[in-house]
Amino acid sequence: MIFRRVGITFAVYGAKDEDGAGTERLIPFDLIPRVIPSHEWSDMEKGLRQRVTALNRFIHDVYHDQEILKAGIVPTEQVLNNTQYRPVMQGVDVPGGVYAHIAGVDIVRAGAGEFYVLEDN
């Protein structure tokens, strides 16, 4: 009940409830943290660092040369019309090239020592 009150939910796109409204589900949450052995973590850490670096490089490109938009890899309107896009940031260099100071990368275990990224936040 507390999770619903404070909005710890996610939308299930395309799914509708009986009233035709979008369906929201509670985010699954374990009270006991998962322990990841150090040998698995070292590989995962490399991948997570690479992913966050790529995210920051993408944001840098969007606010500078926009090569990814010019190449048509990401639709221009999807970026420039997004409510989170800030035109005042165009051409601004941030310290260390870090635009995303916090990144939530959801991972799932696919097998012994094998992980996949489910999504980024």
Side-chain angles (χ1 to χ4, degrees), residues 87-100:
V88 298
M89 288 296 295
Q90 200 63 45
V92 175
D93 289 313
V94 297
V98 178
Y99 291 83

Side-chain angles (χ1 to χ4, degrees), residues 71-90:
I73 296 169
V74 176
T76 301
E77 62 278 356
Q78 191 173 23
V79 173
L80 302 184
N81 295 337
N82 188 291
T83 58
Q84 299 303 313
Y85 174 72
R86 299 292 184 255
V88 298
M89 288 296 295
Q90 200 63 45

